[in-house]
Amino acid sequence: MPLILSGTTGISGVDGSAGTPSYQGTDNNTGIFYPAADTIAFAEGGAEIARFDSSGNFGIGNNPAIYRDWE
């Protein structure tokens, strides 16, 4: 999939994975990626550590249970 850089919409076209997140710093297996439609997740050391789903629920862990206690 090509990386798209647009002055209107920003960076798009790369979903990434826990092992190679689409947004990362100098550590190439730690950052932000998009594992499913309308879902954003965070990786550390190549493992998923947290995610927000399309309903705004938040989960923690490698296979996160979803929490939404702030309502």
Side-chain angles (χ1 to χ4, degrees), residues 5-47:
L5 179 58
S6 165
T8 304
T9 58
I11 300 171
S12 62
V14 179
D15 290 336
S17 67
T20 54
S22 51
Y23 296 102
Q24 52 189 258
T26 57
D27 185 352
N28 64 3
N29 64 2
T30 299
I32 301 170
F33 67 104
Y34 305 93
D38 302 322
T39 303
I40 185 171
F42 303 87
E44 183 176 284

